[in-house]
Amino acid sequence: NLVYHGVNINLSKSTLKKDDIELLLSKNEMSIFYFLFMNQGKIVSRDEIINYLWGTDKFIDDNTLTVNMTRLRGKLEELGIKDSIETKRGQGYILK
């Protein structure tokens, strides 16, 4: 059972749950969160995330990752977790 700051991560259901709030994540949102979770405290580049998600960095619109990241951050905030994913300009993202 994976837990991040009191949030239960259910990979098989693609949900994050804290107290009585359970949110369903899209496949991409869960993959991004899981990748950041497994690399917690370490900066991961956008290319690393894109390669993890899609197995390639070809043909992927850079904006696609940005949109997914924004949605993921919004869902974490709904669970009361603010500013957990920090953007490191020119480097990537880090889950604190």
Side-chain angles (χ1 to χ4, degrees):
N1 202 12
L2 302 175
V3 178
Y4 172 75
H5 292 285
V7 174
N8 287 304
I9 305 162
N10 187 323
L11 295 173
S12 59
K13 286 180 21 184
S14 195
T15 59
L16 296 179
K17 184 175 184 185
K18 184 173 183 186
D19 304 324
D20 7 341
I21 303 170
E22 186 173 45
L23 299 177
L24 182 64
L25 270 60
S26 73
K27 179 179 179 267
N28 286 347
E29 291 163 354
M30 181 54 87
S31 293
I32 292 167
F33 183 73
Y34 181 70
F35 190 69
L36 289 171
F37 178 79
M38 296 310 287
N39 290 284
Q40 192 172 349
K42 186 177 115 186
I43 297 170
V44 289
S45 72
R46 292 177 65 87
D47 285 348
E48 285 177 290
I49 297 170
I50 288 169
N51 278 318
Y52 177 75
L53 282 180
W54 293 286
T56 178
D57 54 9
K58 293 179 173 57
F59 316 119
I60 301 301
D61 180 0
D62 198 46
N63 194 40
T64 304
L65 179 58
T66 305
V67 168
N68 280 285
M69 195 62 77
T70 301
R71 287 186 186 142
L72 176 58
R73 283 177 164 144
K75 289 182 179 178
L76 288 170
E77 282 190 21
E78 281 184 61
L79 295 171
I81 299 173
K82 293 190 189 318
D83 305 323
S84 57
I85 301 172
E86 188 179 325
T87 302
K88 294 289 191 183
R89 195 170 185 86
Q91 297 177 75
Y93 301 97
I94 185 168
L95 183 68
K96 299 188 270 176

